[in-house]
Amino acid sequence: MRHPVVMGNWKLNGSKAMVTELLNGLNAELEGVTGVDVAVAPPALYVDLAERVIKEGGSKIILGAQNTDLKNSGAFTGDMSPEMLKDFGATHIIIGHSERREYHNESDEFVAKKFAFIKENGLTPVLCIGESDAQNEAGETLAVCARQLDAVIKTQGVEALNGAIVAYEPIWAIGTGKAATAEQAQDIHAAIRAHIAQSSEEVAKNLVIQYGGSVKDSNAAELFGMPDIDGALVGGAALDAKGFAAIAKAAAKAKA
Ligand code: PEP
């Protein structure tokens, strides 16, 4: 039985006041909520503060991050390492987000290297995959997702996906308010799982596959009602404590 995971990707949003207020709100909203893992990925500069606010609130919120680089120390100006993130309690690291693929030219191979390095450091990669609007129109959705997954499977073996999280995020749904329908998302999630099952049914069966792209309180229950949707990666709606907590509660309820 897969345990649902709802993760907030705060992107480039935050200040000391905002981080404190949002996490205090989440600590309160999520008190007593079970049956779902809730994670947040603040901007790297605020991971330290986030760790302290989560600890002070005594909550079970999992701390994550939005990126990492490929070395743990040395002459790599401006880089950030998994070891440093781990030092501040961050465990779930988002990689392959379409914004990094697009604005930082991150290739499938580069993302796969990050995946391996995160695992080597005992952390959990949250691997984002997904197609553009044009690729969707051209019927290439599954081919794109398979190619992005295969960059990991072919270099590290399918077992590398054990304990990792995959987030299916159609680019056309990110930040647009135009989420995939629950049926559309379910079809792709099932196809992604079937693709992985070609290498290992066991790995495919146990893998948490999140949906991401304009998830809100209002569409969460329907999405989580689908058998292959195991949670969500949430952008905009993760910046509001009540709304984000409602999404997490919807996952707990749907998967109970
Ligand atoms: C994201 O950026 O990962 C995302 C899913 O954003 P939004 O929820 O705002 O569409």
Side-chain angles (χ1 to χ4, degrees):
M1 181 71 179
R2 297 184 296 273
H3 193 70
V5 184
V6 171
M7 181 164 191
N9 170 16
W10 295 2
K11 310 195 189 197
L12 190 57
N13 295 293
S15 64
K16 286 193 264 186
M18 180 272 219
V19 169
T20 307
E21 191 186 337
L22 180 50
L23 284 171
N24 277 334
L26 280 178
N27 282 339
E29 291 286 337
L30 293 169
E31 212 182 317
V33 174
T34 56
V36 59
D37 285 347
V38 182
V40 295
L45 269 179
Y46 295 105
V47 167
D48 176 21
L49 174 60
E51 184 194 30
R52 283 183 276 132
V53 179
I54 290 169
K55 265 197 189 139
E56 276 159 24
S59 91
K60 294 202 187 78
I61 295 171
I62 295 166
L63 188 55
Q66 300 172 24
N67 186 31
T68 182
D69 294 294
L70 282 172
K71 293 283 187 297
N72 266 331
S73 63
F76 302 100
T77 303
D79 276 10
M80 177 181 57
S81 74
E83 214 164 67
M84 289 170 182
L85 292 169
K86 197 153 69 172
D87 204 17
F88 288 99
T91 56
H92 287 44
I93 318 299
I94 298 170
I95 50 168
H97 194 284
S98 57
E99 287 152 16
R100 292 210 62 87
R101 290 181 192 264
E102 182 180 352
Y103 306 137
H104 298 270
N105 293 319
E106 295 196 1
S107 66
D108 296 342
E109 293 66 33
F110 185 65
V111 172
K113 280 185 187 154
K114 286 189 182 186
F115 186 101
F117 196 51
I118 289 168
K119 290 215 76 171
E120 222 177 277
N121 280 277
L123 301 176
T124 302
V126 179
L127 172 64
C128 300
I129 60 172
E131 83 288 2
S132 67
D133 204 7
Q135 289 164 331
N136 182 43
E137 289 292 318
E140 293 167 3
T141 297
L142 188 57
V144 171
C145 292
R147 193 197 69 218
Q148 292 172 338
L149 281 169
D150 286 349
V152 171
I153 295 172
K154 297 220 161 108
T155 53
Q156 296 154 51
V158 69
E159 276 77 21
L161 291 172
N162 277 329
I165 294 172
V166 167
Y168 168 59
E169 297 208 307
I171 299 169
W172 47 268
I174 296 178
T176 59
K178 197 180 97 185
T181 65
E183 290 77 17
Q184 276 174 327
Q186 165 59 26
D187 283 354
I188 304 305
H189 279 233
I192 289 168
R193 208 179 292 287
H195 176 76
I196 296 165
Q198 287 173 7
S199 303
S200 167
E201 285 189 13
E202 193 62 16
V203 172
K205 188 177 70 163
N206 293 323
L207 182 68
V208 169
I209 306 178
Q210 298 174 316
Y211 167 77
S214 297
V215 176
K216 300 184 271 301
D217 184 9
S218 56
N219 59 10
E222 211 184 338
L223 285 160
F224 300 146
M226 295 294 164
D228 285 291
I229 300 180
D230 308 317
L233 185 57
V234 184
L239 299 173
D240 172 69
K242 249 191 184 1
F244 182 61
I247 294 169
K249 287 174 196 172
K253 191 168 168 203
K255 305 296 181 187

